[in-house]
Amino acid sequence: MFRTALRNVFAHKARLLMTVLAVMLGVAFVSGTLVFTNTISGAMEKSSAKGYSHVDVAVTAQYGEDKGNTVGKEAKLTDATLKAARDTQGAGSAYGVLSGYAAVADQDGKLVGNGFSTKGGNYWGKDDSRYPLKKGTAPHGADQVVLDAKTAQRAGYKVGDQVRMSVDGPVLTPTLTGIFSTDDGNVSAGGSLALFDTPTAQQLFHKPGGYDEIDVTAAAGTSQQQLKSALDKALPTGQTETTTAQQLADDQAKSISNQMSSMKTMLLVFAGISLFVGIFIIANTFTMLVAQRTKELALMRAVGASRRQVTRSVLLEAFVVGAVAAVTGLGVGIGIAAGMRELMGTTGAIIPDGPLVVSVGTVVAALVVGILITMLAAWVPGRRAAKIPPVAAMNAVHAAPTAKSLVLRNTLGALVSAAGVAAVLYATTLSGDSGQAPMGLGAGLLVIGVFILTPLLSRPLIALAAPVLRAFGISGKLARLNSVRNPRRTAATASALMIGLTLITGLTVIAGSVQSAINKMAADSLKADYTVSMANGNQLSPDVVGTLDKTPGVTAVSGLTNSPARIGGDTEFLTGVNGKTITQLAELPLDSGKFTVGGSQVVVDNKTAKDHDWTTGSTFTTHYEDGKRQKLTVAGVYEANEMMRGIMVDTPTLAPHLAKDAGDMQVMVKTSGGASDATQDKLTKALGENPAIKIQDKQDVSNEIAQVFTLMLNMLYGLLAMAVIVAVLGVINTLAMSVFERQQEIGMLRAIGIDRKGIKRMVRLESLVISLFGGVLGIGLGVFFGWAAGQLIGNSMSTYELILPWGRMGIFLALAAVVGILAALWPARRAARLNMLDAIKSE
């Protein structure tokens, strides 16, 4: 039986190749996902571990807890703290570390890196083992800086050049005195690192006489834990916190693992979809092979083979196919992982360098998934083959389904579909995260229910194509009849395509509607022509508002300053705005009251008002960051959106309670000429062509918010394309099976006068009808799921409304048609080349 199974594997190479491809793609998806996420996690963990290679214990300032009406404040690490750490018994050395944002421009004035990846810090001199110099000397004074080697190369700087850069204020042009090497993960991932001497860094990063962290190394013979205990005793209690480098690395690894888990889950879901689609193909392939070997199997039974031996023979074939597909899929998956890493790198994502990580678990998972899925899918055909008695050798294997079985199937499908629809509709009545679980459950039930009902749905839906098919004469009529001859197999084939198009259509509907909602939000809530902010999201320099206000052509300016405050025992963030100009720059629909901001009058978003049970005219006491308090009055309640929310206070009211160096998170600007390239250039020059500052119009703001959706959608399109490829293989398999089963019929058609072109046309039209049937079902379900998911999104996004992308849905339907046409090429050619006499005599 073993030798027989192996001979059967190699006897049907073309069809088994399609099965191998179907399994291989699913396994490649699973293994590629595991390799990709393990590689990124490993690179990030290795990168973070390198960051702790020059420290045994890190000392940080402790942040005070919010108590009563006092906002907690961060303690300071000073030179006294540094001296105490350095003098602690068991300490080898101690360095005060500063870090902050430092935007470096290249020779063309463009920012190197993006946003948060452009870092700055302090350099301790020639003995700073963290950053060994490759060229030049250490920086001394405010007009000197050193850069990492990768940044210097990318930006085109060499020792002696003036570097154009900014921290949070005016453009700086210090001289590059040295270039250093570093294993900093941020740099290896495409970021930049600029270092100043310590006094300069303290001034630039607003830490006069202070540090962000103190890194302490242990003396010989002292462990990290012993050093930590000694520092805890030596440093002021309640003001500092000590953490061993090992604990920092472990915490960072755990954090990275948590961050990657959601991505891994999402990718594995699509891998599961690809495998689910592949099951149909595998089952169809083995059904076809069993049909071809009816006589052989009956003969095996006649000479003494048991049912178990026949079943094991089929399963053994599946094992061989699954093993080959799993090994091949693992190799392809490693290639996919490498490609995905390169793709993310081109999008600006921060990915540290590192080798591909192919773990033992990934190899085992690939083998188990490939072999198990193939054997499970082949079990039903194998069991059916074992039941064939010898006398059945002269009869068809596939008996027509009984009326009872069809009624049972349709009843079950209707009940499951109804349950799915009910769960989805129920989820639309919920809000936020509470609706996600029932929505997912309902979607799964509905897809399964429609799959069960697909044989029932195939007849009426395919009948709709009859008027079109009549134009192709007898070939069109035969194609329609053939497509519903075996509704279960037609349903399995169409369902494979349906699942892929359901996901693609649903995601497209959601993404298009969200993009439209964001555009509408920007258009409705922003009257300003431009918003000005830091590229990394930090505070702007305090002088930016004044500079913009004095720029010719600017008619209104308002900064947005965030400040924590204690209100009723809770911490809330106040937003300082220019009460005189805010209504010229923003338009937020009011639920009640007036949009009046000035003195003690404030406006509050509807969510905050609901949380505190405030209405127009309500008064409350706020305790500012500096500990002082003031009674404020709610002048109006407005609708919050993704761009603006919170408690808006007049800047003159808030400013006395802020730190001297406090800046705005954003500045809104309205100009007399409106948004234009000339106006943007004028604002850019007014701010000194600062690489750290970004100036965006409404469309730029909208695109930036929607960028994450667009990136995710494009990635999912690529992933879902694999499921569509698997579906193409399914259509090919089904048509090949249909041609095999109808050899006598095709021979008779040739004998009564239908030429080869007519036979080809018949097979192609059959394929086209099946593919379009799956496409219509998929697009219909996708629109329904897109609408349902939009109901959840609309609860948190007031401007959300369903937008149907008719153009793209037309493309998807055309794609289904193309799938059908391409899939029919080989089966149609095979059918047309059948010898009519041999076909008529075939059994």
Side-chain angles (χ1 to χ4, degrees):
M1 296 301 294
F2 178 74
R3 288 196 298 271
T4 301
L6 289 180
R7 280 200 300 270
N8 286 325
V9 169
F10 295 108
H12 308 284
K13 298 182 182 65
R15 287 168 195 160
L16 287 174
L17 175 62
M18 289 186 288
T19 303
V20 168
L21 286 173
V23 181
M24 182 199 73
L25 287 172
V27 172
F29 214 155
V30 172
S31 57
T33 294
L34 295 175
V35 171
F36 174 69
T37 52
N38 288 341
T39 296
I40 300 302
S41 297
M44 288 182 172
E45 289 173 15
K46 185 177 179 181
S47 172
S48 64
K50 285 181 179 179
Y52 305 124
S53 60
H54 302 288
V55 55
D56 289 307
V57 177
V59 180
T60 54
Q62 199 168 39
Y63 203 96
E65 295 183 4
D66 294 349
K67 295 181 180 179
N69 292 317
T70 305
V71 177
K73 292 186 177 182
E74 186 180 18
K76 290 185 178 181
L77 299 179
T78 62
D79 285 327
T81 316
L82 176 60
K83 185 177 185 305
R86 189 173 286 156
D87 294 342
T88 299
Q89 186 175 2
S93 61
Y95 297 100
V97 177
L98 289 152
S99 62
Y101 176 58
V104 177
D106 60 19
Q107 298 281 19
D108 297 325
K110 296 181 179 179
L111 182 67
V112 177
N114 64 1
F116 59 89
S117 68
T118 54
K119 302 286 187 180
N122 63 319
Y123 194 81
W124 272 95
K126 291 183 179 179
D127 60 340
D128 194 334
S129 59
R130 300 171 302 168
Y131 310 113
L133 285 171
K134 294 179 67 176
K135 297 178 181 178
T137 59
H140 295 288
D143 60 345
Q144 295 187 1
V145 69
V146 291
L147 293 177
D148 69 89
K150 285 190 175 182
T151 299
Q153 182 180 9
R154 281 188 297 162
Y157 290 124
K158 59 184 184 295
V159 173
D161 288 345
Q162 285 192 318
V163 178
R164 187 175 181 81
M165 63 183 304
S166 173
V167 176
D168 66 353
V171 173
L172 306 174
T173 55
T175 301
L176 181 64
T177 62
I179 296 173
F180 61 88
S181 59
T182 178
D183 53 14
D184 187 292
N186 184 69
V187 172
S188 65
S192 63
L193 184 60
L195 301 177
F196 307 87
D197 65 12
T198 297
T200 302
Q202 287 176 329
Q203 179 184 356
L204 291 174
F205 301 134
H206 308 292
K207 290 277 184 178
Y211 304 96
D212 294 306
E213 183 177 294
I214 294 174
D215 290 346
V216 187
T217 59
T222 303
S223 68
Q224 290 185 357
Q225 194 58 47
Q226 289 172 335
L227 178 59
K228 180 182 183 305
S229 299
L231 288 169
D232 287 339
K233 294 177 182 178
L235 299 177
T237 304
Q239 296 185 28
T240 59
E241 186 174 352
T242 58
T243 311
T244 63
Q246 185 60 52
Q247 184 62 49
L248 288 171
D250 292 344
D251 290 345
Q252 187 69 17
K254 185 177 180 180
S255 174
I256 291 170
S257 178
N258 291 335
Q259 292 172 12
M260 295 301 296
S261 64
S262 58
M263 178 183 290
K264 181 182 291 187
T265 300
M266 180 191 71
L267 295 177
L268 286 176
V269 165
F270 288 99
I273 292 168
S274 182
L275 288 170
F276 181 64
V277 173
I279 287 174
F280 300 139
I281 300 173
I282 301 165
N284 274 352
T285 300
F286 279 92
T287 298
M288 178 167 55
L289 296 177
V290 168
Q292 289 177 320
R293 290 161 49 202
T294 302
K295 202 168 188 177
E296 175 190 330
L297 294 172
L299 182 61
M300 290 171 62
R301 292 291 312 283
V303 297
S306 67
R307 287 186 175 184
R308 287 187 178 180
Q309 284 179 309
V310 172
T311 303
R312 284 200 295 266
S313 173
V314 176
L315 291 179
L316 185 57
E317 292 179 46
F319 175 83
V320 174
V321 172
V324 172
V327 173
T328 310
L330 176 62
V332 175
I334 294 172
I336 290 174
M340 289 178 68
R341 184 172 66 172
E342 292 300 319
L343 175 64
M344 289 193 69
T346 60
T347 63
I350 301 301
I351 303 177
D353 294 332
L356 288 173
V357 178
V358 184
S359 66
V360 175
T362 299
V363 176
V364 172
L367 293 175
V368 169
V369 167
I371 295 172
L372 188 62
I373 288 294
T374 309
M375 294 185 71
L376 283 176
W379 179 75
V380 172
R383 185 168 172 269
R384 185 183 300 142
K387 289 183 177 181
I388 302 173
V391 73
M394 303 304 295
N395 299 321
V397 178
H398 302 288
T402 64
K404 181 179 178 181
S405 68
L406 288 175
V407 169
L408 180 62
R409 176 171 182 145
N410 294 337
T411 302
L412 177 62
L415 291 174
V416 174
S417 298
V421 172
V424 170
L425 293 178
Y426 168 70
T428 61
T429 65
L430 303 176
S431 60
D433 297 337
S434 59
Q436 293 180 5
M439 180 75 72
L441 175 63
L445 288 174
L446 183 53
V447 169
I448 293 172
V450 171
F451 168 66
I452 297 172
L453 285 174
T454 305
L456 177 66
L457 297 172
S458 63
R459 291 185 180 275
L461 288 179
I462 290 177
L464 294 175
V468 178
L469 293 174
R470 285 196 196 102
F472 296 94
I474 191 65
S475 295
K477 182 177 180 179
L478 290 173
R480 180 178 63 82
L481 294 174
N482 290 335
S483 61
V484 294
R485 173 179 294 185
N486 191 332
R488 292 187 175 183
R489 192 162 64 219
T490 296
T493 305
S495 295
L497 193 58
M498 176 194 77
I499 292 170
L501 287 180
T502 295
L503 291 167
I504 291 176
T505 304
L507 290 169
T508 301
V509 169
I510 293 170
S513 300
V514 168
Q515 177 69 68
S516 176
I518 293 171
N519 290 340
K520 191 173 186 298
M521 187 189 303
D524 291 351
S525 62
L526 281 180
K527 289 183 180 179
D529 296 316
Y530 293 100
T531 60
V532 179
S533 59
M534 292 288 284
N536 68 333
N538 281 355
Q539 292 183 353
L540 290 158
S541 174
D543 60 359
V544 169
V545 170
T547 301
L548 291 171
D549 194 30
K550 296 174 183 177
T551 302
V554 173
T555 58
V557 172
S558 176
L560 275 70
T561 308
N562 290 341
S563 174
R566 295 289 285 179
I567 300 173
D570 298 325
T571 298
E572 297 283 358
F573 277 87
L574 306 177
T575 301
V577 299
N578 186 330
K580 296 178 180 179
T581 62
I582 187 63
T583 54
Q584 301 176 49
L585 300 163
E587 185 171 351
L588 299 170
L590 284 169
D591 286 352
S592 62
K594 296 182 179 180
F595 206 98
T596 303
V597 180
S600 62
Q601 290 190 310
V602 301
V603 292
V604 184
D605 73 272
N606 47 8
K607 186 179 182 301
T608 304
K610 183 179 180 181
D611 291 343
H612 290 278
D613 199 24
W614 293 337
T615 60
T616 299
S618 296
T619 60
F620 61 92
T621 300
T622 179
H623 292 76
Y624 293 108
E625 192 175 2
D626 62 354
K628 296 181 180 179
R629 63 181 183 176
Q630 182 179 4
K631 183 172 286 188
L632 301 175
T633 302
V634 178
V637 178
Y638 66 92
E639 282 187 28
N641 59 43
E642 297 299 311
M643 297 181 180
M644 301 187 74
R645 61 180 66 242
I647 304 171
M648 292 191 186
V649 184
D650 196 18
T651 299
T653 303
L654 183 62
H657 308 287
L658 301 175
K660 291 183 179 180
D661 57 357
D664 299 305
M665 296 303 297
Q666 191 179 76
V667 176
M668 295 187 292
V669 182
K670 191 169 184 63
T671 62
S672 57
S676 67
D677 291 342
T679 302
Q680 189 165 355
D681 288 343
K682 186 187 295 183
L683 297 178
T684 301
K685 291 178 180 178
L687 294 174
E689 298 180 305
N690 195 319
I693 295 176
K694 59 182 180 181
I695 302 172
Q696 299 173 296
D697 60 19
K698 292 181 184 180
Q699 191 59 49
D700 293 333
V701 172
S702 177
N703 291 343
E704 185 175 59
I705 297 175
Q707 186 176 15
V708 63
F709 296 100
T710 304
L711 177 62
M712 183 180 297
L713 185 64
N714 290 337
M715 181 180 291
L716 294 181
Y717 276 164
L719 299 177
L720 289 171
M722 297 184 69
V724 175
I725 293 172
V726 175
V728 172
L729 298 175
V731 178
I732 295 173
N733 257 352
T734 297
L735 292 173
M737 187 185 305
S738 178
V739 169
F740 167 75
E741 291 178 350
R742 304 202 314 264
Q743 287 188 67
Q744 284 186 330
E745 175 188 319
I746 292 171
M748 289 297 296
L749 291 172
R750 290 291 314 283
I752 63 175
I754 298 182
D755 59 10
R756 289 186 174 184
K757 288 185 178 180
I759 296 295
K760 285 184 178 181
R761 188 182 304 116
M762 177 187 72
V763 176
R764 288 169 182 165
L765 289 174
E766 179 184 348
S767 175
L768 184 63
V769 167
I770 293 174
S771 297
L772 288 176
F773 169 55
V776 169
L777 286 180
I779 292 172
L781 281 175
V783 170
F784 176 70
F785 291 143
W787 166 82
Q791 297 302 300
L792 287 181
I793 297 173
N795 291 329
S796 57
M797 188 177 287
S798 59
T799 56
Y800 184 90
E801 60 181 17
L802 181 67
I803 302 294
L804 293 181
W806 295 105
R808 289 203 178 187
M809 288 194 294
I811 292 173
F812 296 155
L813 195 60
L815 174 64
V818 171
V819 166
I821 293 170
L822 293 177
L825 292 178
W826 176 65
R829 185 169 178 269
R830 185 174 183 273
R833 294 181 66 182
L834 285 174
N835 183 286
M836 69 179 73
L837 295 179
D838 291 340
I840 292 172
K841 291 187 296 182
S842 67
E843 300 181 1

